Amino acid sequence: MEQIGWGLGASLTLASLPAMARERAGVMDNKKLNIALCGLGRYANVLKGGLAASQSCRLAGIVTGTPTKAAQWQSEFRIPDKNSYTYQNFDQIVSNPDIDLVYITLPNGLHKEFTLRAAKAGKHVIVEKPMAFTEKDCQEMIDACRKAGVQLAVGYRLHYDPHHIELKRLGQHKVFGQVRLIEASLGYRLAGIPPDDWHLKKAIAGGGPLMNLGVYCVQSSRYVLGEEPVAVTAQFGPVTMPDLFKEVEENITWQLYFPSGAICTSSCTSNCNVDRFYASADEGYFELQPALSYGPFKGRTSQAAFNFPVVNQQAAQLDDIARHILANKPLPAHISGEEGRKDMRVIEGIYQAATSGQKVDLTS
Ligand code: NDP
């Protein structure tokens, strides 16, 4: 995949990988990457399709707290009992050579704990977004994986969609000149969600739509501009469903300020459906709508429509990660833990700005 002006966090080299990882990679030559999915909910079910379409990965294990799911997944994927774990006995995975990587699809508040446990067990990790609740937690996860000699990726599927690769090209190559303004928003109406759903509980969700969806808006503005934001202002929106939104925000809007002078304004919401990206540059515009979901996406510039064949984002993501790990190469920077850390720094700043009503400096 083309990487233009996006030299973020590429400090890990093959030589810098600890010996344990290099040896493991040697053992894994000529085989598929064996993955254990941890938390068998909605997104794990989406990943089933990605795993089925993947060339380089195999679903080799599961981690679940629900015995009926264990039975069903074991039967569907012929997973032996020895590769089926609960959250309680998960640490025993350390002595299971059938599993190379743990893919964490648990609620947000469990991402850090299970990343640390998987790393301690010597397994590579893919952790879903948001990586954690704070930049500090992300750093702990990065450090733990580095110390254990395992690789850490965040489930940033959009980097594998050709429409987003095109957005990066248009923005970073300044095809329409300097981008001045980006609008990137994502939201889903959550009416009808049970009031006890974890997405509404601060302790396990970490926040509302910003925590669940915000990384897509933050990421797209960062990779289209190829810059890091220097400051942020933000505002919480009104609560229209007070029975549901007691602990986390229902709506939030923010503005990111970039060194070039570009501004990105975004909303994440749980009270309406929105899924769009728009960039206005000196000599034209480019946009996607839908833009940040699973697609299919529709692109347009000030000159013409652009559309690429639909890809299975999850299969492409899994295959790229597998190819890197199997070849003992460091994962691409754009899906690394370092990338997740940078996003969480911005998200923390957005919450700080909305809570304080002040412009928050992101440079220090
Ligand atoms: P679900 O609620 O559908 O699934 C989470 C699963 O985690 C549950 O089914 C359960 O599986 C397990 N679990 C363990 N402890 C708990 C707990 N205390 N409360 C609830 N569930 C628990 O969530 P999603 O699959 O929608 O989301 C999981 C993660 O994936 C989130 O971090 C989310 O942000 C991310 N995600 C990423 C997407 C992407 O496009 N990259 C899209 C959607 C979600 P079990 O019964 O097996 O124990």
Side-chain angles (χ1 to χ4, degrees), residues 66-84:
T66 310
T68 50
K69 289 186 194 170
Q72 189 221 317
W73 282 66
Q74 279 189 249
S75 143
E76 189 175 344
F77 292 92
R78 298 182 181 200
I79 294 170
D81 286 347
K82 70 183 176 62
N83 292 359
S84 178

Side-chain angles (χ1 to χ4, degrees), residues 30-287:
N30 301 320
K31 70 165 202 169
K32 290 192 173 189
L33 190 72
N34 288 314
I35 292 184
L37 272 181
C38 178
L40 305 180
R42 280 171 292 241
Y43 197 57
N45 275 286
V46 173
L47 284 167
K48 264 188 192 176
L51 282 158
S54 144
Q55 307 284 308
S56 311
C57 296
R58 178 189 299 117
L59 182 62
I62 49 172
V63 188
T64 175
T66 310
T68 50
K69 289 186 194 170
Q72 189 221 317
W73 282 66
Q74 279 189 249
S75 143
E76 189 175 344
F77 292 92
R78 298 182 181 200
I79 294 170
D81 286 347
K82 70 183 176 62
N83 292 359
S84 178
Y85 295 89
T86 64
Y87 304 118
Q88 286 70 37
N89 70 14
F90 171 69
D91 306 294
Q92 293 171 15
I93 206 166
V94 65
S95 52
N96 189 338
D98 294 352
I99 310 293
D100 304 313
L101 179 146
V102 177
Y103 193 146
I104 299 166
T105 50
L106 290 164
N108 310 342
L110 297 168
H111 290 180
K112 177 183 166 187
E113 175 190 336
F114 279 82
T115 297
L116 299 186
R117 288 170 70 179
K120 198 167 171 205
K123 306 300 176 187
H124 300 290
V125 179
I126 306 175
V127 62
E128 259 315 315
K129 43 63 40 181
M131 183 173 165
F133 290 169
T134 64
E135 184 187 14
K136 184 169 165 287
D137 284 349
C138 294
Q139 190 60 55
E140 260 186 70
M141 293 155 77
I142 293 167
D143 291 345
C145 288
R146 191 166 287 152
K147 188 171 162 210
V150 298
Q151 299 222 51
L152 171 62
V154 185
Y156 283 157
R157 58 183 168 76
L158 287 180
H159 287 278
Y160 295 96
D161 190 287
H163 294 83
H164 280 261
I165 296 169
E166 178 66 355
L167 286 190
K168 279 186 217 177
R169 187 186 75 83
L170 293 171
Q172 294 187 18
H173 278 181
K174 299 189 170 34
V175 172
F176 292 95
Q178 172 65 47
V179 173
R180 303 284 173 192
L181 177 74
I182 292 177
E183 292 177 4
S185 291
L186 187 59
Y188 299 100
R189 182 156 173 82
L190 283 191
I193 188 176
D196 61 349
D197 188 284
W198 68 263
H199 290 90
L200 302 172
K201 305 292 170 205
K202 177 125 188 187
I204 193 155
L210 173 59
M211 203 45 104
N212 279 308
L213 307 172
V215 289
Y216 293 114
C217 307
V218 170
Q219 274 260 304
S220 56
S221 64
R222 289 178 55 237
Y223 57 66
V224 166
L225 289 164
E227 298 175 42
E228 295 302 321
V230 291
V232 57
T233 47
Q235 307 79 34
F236 288 119
V239 178
T240 65
M241 295 179 271
D243 291 349
L244 296 179
F245 291 90
K246 293 177 178 161
E247 298 185 24
V248 299
E249 80 279 357
E250 180 184 315
N251 302 283
I252 187 164
T253 297
W254 69 92
Q255 302 77 37
L256 295 180
Y257 302 86
F258 289 85
S260 61
I263 294 176
C264 173
T265 177
S266 296
S267 292
C268 277
T269 174
S270 296
N271 83 357
C272 68
N273 298 320
V274 56
D275 180 4
R276 68 186 294 262
F277 176 96
Y278 178 90
S280 179
D282 285 343
E283 290 138 38
Y285 71 84
F286 49 99
E287 67 177 347

